[in-house]
Amino acid sequence: MKTLGLQLRFLIPLILILAGAAYLAVPVMDRLTLRWFARDLDMRGVLVANALSESVAEAASDTRGRKLQALFSRAVLDERLVAIGLCSPTGELLRRTDHFPKDMTCVQAEDLANSKGTNLHIEGGPVHVSVHPVASEAGPVGELVLMHDLSFIERRSQDTRRYLVILITGLGAVIALVTLIVAQLSWRGWIAGTRALLHGEGLLRPNSPVFPELAPLAADLRERLREVEDEYKRLQGADADWTPHRLQTLLRTQMRGDQVIVVSNREPYMHERGAGGIEIRRPASGLVTAVEPVMRACSGTWIAHGSGSADREVVDRHDHVALPPGHDEYLLRRIWLTPEQEQGYYYGFANEGLWPLCHVAHVRPVFRESDWEHYKRVNRLFADAVVAEARSEDPVILVQDYHFALVPAMVRERLPRATILSFWHIPWPNPESFGICPWRAEILEGMLGSTIMGFHTQFHCKNFMETVDRYLEARIEHEHSTITFHGDPTFVEAYPISIEWPLPEQARTWPSVGQCRSELMERLDIPRDHRIAVGVDRFDYTKGILERLHAVERMLEKYPEWQKRFTFVQVAAPSRGALEEYRLFQQRIAAQVDRINDRFGRPGAPVIRLLAQHHEHDEVTKLYRAADVCLVTSLHDGMNLVCKEFIAARDDERGVLILSRFAGAARELTEALIVNPYHVEETADALFHALTMPPGEQRERMASLRSTVHEFNVYRWAGRMLSDAARLRLRQRVSTRVQRHAGSGTIVPLSRKSTRS
Ligand code: G6P
């Protein structure tokens, strides 16, 4: 209807113009045809005069004039010839036929003939007058005045006028029809172009809008969205503290309480069958440490592999269990895997393939076709679970880690409007290293289903963008950190992960540092005068445990005075023990510990205590509080949260952190003693330095480290990601709104005025 209205607005003036043209053209046509006919009649007059001239000359000699009269009477039988007159050479009217006007003189007839276009009206209608000389051999006889009937011209003129009007009307109709068709096509093209633009095609690519004629609209829209973003950032107040409350407010206000779904392989709590019944265990996982407090703040649903031996016994019929135990703040949906699936997807592709591939820790990645098949199938299983858990078509989905590289694109297919935030908890290598993966393109394509792709550091983001650039046909805009693949943009950003702060309620009940120390010494039978260093890791070859042992050995060698005053406690939580690489690594470490203890320990007082079992969070906290030094010597680590947990545990502002430069955390925690773990001498010296560091310096460093972890806590990590997601959702909603208006024919004007003051 609207388009018809618009077209009528164009057609009515067109019809009026055509009618005006017809109105003006008819008299012009009349005049033209009259002139043509007058010329024809003049020629006809010449012919008639020539034909009559001899007879007239001869008849003129008849003084009674009978012959002439008879001749003229015959001539006017011609229906076009109305009257004839003969004038003498002196201008006297000698003869005339009946219809020749009685009072017309020869002079008047001459005048009429000379004035072209002026016709005479006699009784029968308009006549055309022409004068022709007649001569005989003897000389001039006179002049023949011929009057031709003009009334037929009138009739022809009417015919011409009719044809003209029909022609112009027909022409108008054809023009109108063509105009309608062209207008319809252009309108549809324009609407389609605008819609494509609002869907993002061309919007995120400033120099190449899909439809060049829409470039000004694209520029306006882009500018308006940036203004909205700026305003949003300004309202956020970048520097304010991030707390669970602020995160909840963000979810309530910016995300309008939208549903949050987390997907990870590792579950936050495992139910295990123990001697005393079902026991609850928190797995050793940086991912769980970080995401669990966020989930407590956000509520929502967490989808993870149910890997505990009693997991099935506690879920409801939808495989749901409310967590944390006794608090019921969020829901865990457990996914069950067969042993073959777990072997292929988790141990095989994820941990024998992607894990060493991304860590570049000198362990060869293994890629098996069968593992890849399981990986794809299990990713599909989790993507299906996301869709089943979604209560709306645009939930916020947090996809965690290298276990689920394919999930973002799989979910995107089914929930195109979902906001998918993927976070890669481990490092991303350079394009050459990643390029050895046989399914590199599929993995990258899967990840690019995300709305936001997060890494711990800018360096990992850069590696990822370069990898995409190398192996996919995608458009990369470095200045906006955006990769557009198949028309869908993914925002790539660094979000350094962290731990919860303010500290959990349990922190109030922590035993004092002195008490922790006494308990530990008692439990492990460590002499009272010993200084204690700790290492807390999963038993993993990327953690640099071997290098750490070498550094301890070297320190004792180099600074022998510490041989009787130092104990190193290494907690190594068993991990991925089904893999040979891990089993061999554990054996190797155990052998090294024995060797060093044989070398420096005394009977009953080993210098290194290897605690190769799972420790609950509270026990680890006590260990941190009891220690003088904490050693984190990862060979490569996305972030590493052990160092941040150590800092959080030291509310006495004592203790020294030795930190590998290859852990993402080294970029933030610059007051730690930063070492290259491959450089045994340097790490040994750092250990010595830590053991001898004056309390004042320890306090200064620790206070600064604590304020960093406080400020850059896990709520900031999640908050920044969710704020960016909210911004992108707002962008999408503005686009949808504008699109709706554009669809209804009303283009919402986009102000150019900046909201920035
Ligand atoms: C790393 C990974 C996590 C994983 C954790 C423990 O931190 O980034 O995704 O949960 O290791 O490994 P596991 O295989 O026991 O879950």
Side-chain angles (χ1 to χ4, degrees):
M1 263 336 258
K2 296 245 166 195
T3 43
L4 186 68
L6 269 178
Q7 285 157 10
L8 280 181
R9 259 183 255 171
F10 170 76
L11 284 177
I12 288 170
L14 178 77
I15 289 166
L16 288 176
I17 289 171
L18 287 174
Y23 178 77
L24 291 175
V26 168
V28 173
M29 282 298 293
D30 275 354
R31 270 203 299 281
L32 264 178
T33 45
L34 191 64
R35 207 172 296 156
W36 292 335
F37 286 127
R39 211 166 38 234
D40 283 356
L41 290 177
D42 281 343
M43 281 163 60
R44 196 169 191 273
V46 171
L47 285 176
V48 173
N50 285 345
L52 290 179
S53 117
E54 230 176 274
S55 312
V56 170
E58 199 185 303
S61 55
D62 174 13
T63 48
R64 283 173 300 161
R66 276 209 200 125
K67 278 189 182 171
L68 209 50
Q69 199 62 43
L71 180 65
F72 281 5
S73 298
R74 268 199 318 278
V76 290
L77 288 177
D78 178 339
E79 65 169 327
R80 294 277 170 81
L81 202 54
V82 177
I84 304 179
L86 181 66
C87 296
S88 69
T90 56
E92 187 188 338
L93 186 64
L94 298 177
R95 280 279 168 250
R96 67 176 184 80
T97 57
D98 293 348
H99 288 107
F100 197 99
K102 288 192 182 74
D103 45 0
M104 178 171 278
T105 64
C106 286
V107 175
Q108 284 170 330
E110 186 91 22
D111 286 350
L112 269 174
N114 289 338
S115 67
K116 306 273 179 214
T118 311
N119 300 314
L120 175 67
H121 278 262
I122 59 172
E123 226 170 287
V127 292
H128 174 76
V129 180
S130 59
V131 176
H132 309 273
V134 181
S136 66
E137 281 171 7
V141 175
E143 283 184 324
L144 207 53
V145 179
L146 302 180
M147 291 186 181
H148 274 99
D149 177 19
L150 270 183
S151 60
F152 78 97
I153 291 183
E154 188 80 2
R155 284 194 306 278
R156 285 196 183 171
S157 172
Q158 269 170 13
D159 286 349
T160 313
R161 218 174 293 148
R162 201 164 41 244
Y163 290 134
L164 196 67
V165 168
I166 290 171
L167 182 75
I168 289 180
T169 311
L171 201 65
V174 171
I175 292 176
L177 194 68
V178 171
T179 310
L180 274 176
I181 292 168
V182 170
Q184 273 290 349
L185 292 179
S186 316
W187 178 258
R188 279 196 202 145
W190 198 84
I191 287 291
T194 310
R195 287 214 170 113
L197 189 67
L198 293 172
H199 277 303
E201 288 170 45
L203 192 59
L204 297 172
R205 315 169 198 174
N207 300 325
S208 63
V210 182
F211 298 92
E213 62 273 23
L214 293 176
L217 181 61
D220 273 0
L221 195 55
R222 214 177 289 122
E223 187 170 324
R224 179 69 187 124
L225 290 173
R226 296 236 161 90
E227 284 165 11
V228 170
E229 280 173 29
D230 289 347
E231 172 71 354
Y232 178 74
K233 279 190 194 151
R234 199 172 58 75
L235 289 174
Q236 278 294 299
D239 295 331
D241 266 2
W242 276 97
T243 59
H245 177 69
R246 183 168 170 197
L247 198 58
Q248 284 157 354
T249 312
L250 179 136
L251 282 164
R252 227 184 18 253
T253 54
Q254 316 296 329
M255 312 290 275
R256 301 190 193 162
D258 289 326
Q259 184 191 15
V260 174
I261 300 176
V262 166
V263 186
S264 77
N265 171 69
R266 189 56 67 197
E267 54 184 344
Y269 292 88
M270 295 164 85
H271 290 86
E272 299 280 9
R273 217 169 289 117
I278 294 177
E279 292 166 7
I280 297 174
R281 194 155 74 77
R282 294 278 310 271
S285 156
L287 178 158
V288 167
T289 306
V291 177
E292 211 265 342
V294 173
M295 258 325 244
R296 286 202 316 263
C298 302
S299 302
T301 306
W302 187 329
I303 302 172
H305 171 210
S307 53
S309 55
D311 273 356
R312 284 178 193 266
E313 292 169 39
V314 297
V315 294
D316 65 14
R317 64 196 176 90
H318 302 294
D319 298 326
H320 285 157
V321 56
L323 291 174
H327 290 83
D328 299 1
E329 286 167 332
Y330 60 89
L331 218 54
L332 172 66
R333 155 84 186 270
R334 283 180 167 143
I335 303 285
W336 315 113
L337 300 181
T338 63
E340 296 73 37
Q341 283 174 330
E342 190 175 3
Q343 179 58 44
Y345 135 83
Y346 170 75
Y347 287 111
F349 194 74
N351 286 316
E352 285 193 286
L354 291 178
W355 178 269
L357 178 76
C358 290
H359 280 88
V360 197
H362 315 291
V363 169
R364 279 190 176 193
V366 179
F367 293 110
R368 298 179 198 92
E369 185 81 36
S370 56
D371 290 347
W372 169 241
E373 289 305 322
H374 279 301
Y375 186 83
K376 284 195 286 188
R377 248 175 262 139
V378 172
N379 271 241
R380 177 67 69 194
L381 204 65
F382 276 75
D384 289 347
V386 171
V387 175
E389 294 292 334
R391 290 195 305 265
S392 68
E393 56 175 11
D394 63 347
V396 178
I397 301 160
L398 308 178
V399 180
Q400 306 298 313
D401 232 349
Y402 59 101
H403 309 91
F404 298 120
L406 308 180
V407 164
M410 289 175 172
V411 173
R412 172 74 60 221
E413 272 171 23
R414 313 260 304 273
L415 297 174
R417 294 191 50 222
T419 301
I420 305 175
L421 314 182
S422 299
F423 194 80
W424 199 258
H425 289 257
I426 62 176
W428 189 274
N430 61 40
E432 288 73 28
S433 304
F434 189 78
I436 65 171
C437 176
W439 301 284
R440 59 195 185 195
E442 287 91 330
I443 288 176
L444 295 171
E445 286 172 16
M447 294 170 79
L448 291 177
S450 313
T451 314
I452 296 180
M453 188 65 233
F455 295 90
H456 290 296
T457 67
Q458 209 53 57
F459 183 64
H460 298 151
C461 292
K462 185 174 149 283
N463 278 350
F464 178 72
M465 293 181 92
E466 283 172 8
T467 308
V468 172
D469 202 14
R470 181 78 59 89
Y471 302 116
L472 290 187
E473 285 289 318
R475 182 183 168 79
I476 299 184
E477 285 177 77
H478 291 281
E479 67 277 27
H480 297 123
S481 283
T482 305
I483 300 175
T484 305
F485 183 63
H486 288 167
D488 287 328
T490 299
F491 180 58
V492 181
E493 180 63 307
Y495 303 97
I497 208 167
S498 194
I499 56 166
E500 60 180 319
W501 199 303
L503 298 173
E505 281 295 302
Q506 302 96 292
R508 297 210 190 131
T509 61
W510 283 344
S512 70
V513 167
Q515 206 178 331
C516 292
R517 196 175 171 80
S518 306
E519 276 180 20
L520 181 75
M521 289 180 148
E522 204 168 308
R523 182 160 66 89
L524 299 182
D525 204 12
I526 300 170
R528 295 272 151 187
D529 61 342
H530 271 217
R531 290 290 181 87
I532 301 169
V534 297
V536 177
D537 304 270
R538 279 183 308 103
F539 230 142
D540 195 297
Y541 54 80
T542 61
K543 300 296 178 184
I545 300 173
L546 192 62
E547 289 70 12
R548 197 177 305 170
L549 295 178
H550 289 154
V552 167
E553 182 179 21
R554 181 68 187 129
M555 191 280 289
L556 295 174
E557 222 173 58
K558 210 169 166 184
Y559 308 100
E561 69 273 23
W562 285 99
Q563 288 177 8
K564 292 192 176 58
R565 292 171 52 210
F566 175 75
T567 300
F568 174 55
V569 180
Q570 174 67 54
V571 167
S575 179
R576 306 171 193 170
L579 297 179
E580 198 189 5
E581 194 70 48
Y582 281 75
R583 280 199 306 274
L584 291 177
F585 179 71
Q586 291 171 20
Q587 287 166 15
R588 210 166 152 209
I589 294 295
Q592 287 296 317
V593 169
D594 288 347
R595 187 185 60 74
I596 298 169
N597 280 340
D598 283 349
R599 188 173 169 200
F600 295 108
R602 284 166 295 129
V607 66
I608 299 176
R609 310 293 171 95
L610 178 63
L611 309 178
Q613 71 246 14
H614 179 79
H615 281 60
E616 278 304 316
H617 194 255
D618 285 353
E619 295 172 80
V620 175
T621 305
K622 282 193 227 163
L623 188 63
Y624 290 139
R625 285 169 76 73
D628 297 289
V629 181
C630 178
L631 279 151
V632 175
T633 54
S634 315
L635 303 180
H636 204 178
D637 220 331
M639 171 57 71
N640 188 290
L641 294 183
V642 165
C643 51
K644 294 191 176 181
E645 288 186 320
F646 172 66
I647 292 166
R650 300 315 297 257
D651 53 3
D652 62 336
E653 297 184 345
R654 294 287 291 273
V656 181
L657 174 66
I658 295 175
L659 178 58
S660 162
R661 65 171 69 253
F662 306 124
R667 287 159 206 260
E668 288 175 89
L669 305 178
T670 47
E671 291 81 9
L673 299 182
I674 306 290
V675 296
N676 171 358
Y678 290 99
H679 193 332
V680 174
E681 204 73 15
E682 184 184 285
T683 313
D685 285 344
L687 182 54
F688 174 74
H689 182 181
L691 291 170
T692 54
M693 187 181 284
E697 186 180 343
Q698 287 185 33
R699 184 160 290 127
E700 226 173 279
R701 286 176 183 265
M702 187 52 82
S704 171
L705 289 169
R706 283 175 69 79
S707 88
T708 304
V709 180
H710 172 162
E711 189 179 345
F712 297 93
N713 59 14
V714 77
Y715 302 110
R716 179 179 291 270
W717 170 73
R720 276 193 52 225
M721 237 189 310
L722 290 169
S723 303
D724 284 342
R727 179 169 58 84
L728 296 172
R729 278 163 88 84
L730 182 67
R731 215 178 223 244
Q732 189 183 342
R733 281 177 180 156
V734 169
S735 297
T736 312
R737 193 169 62 84
V738 176
Q739 191 180 355
R740 259 206 307 272
H741 283 279
S744 68
T746 317
I747 305 298
V748 174
L750 295 173
S751 158
R752 286 188 162 272
K753 210 174 118 231
S754 171
T755 48
R756 271 168 291 190
S757 52

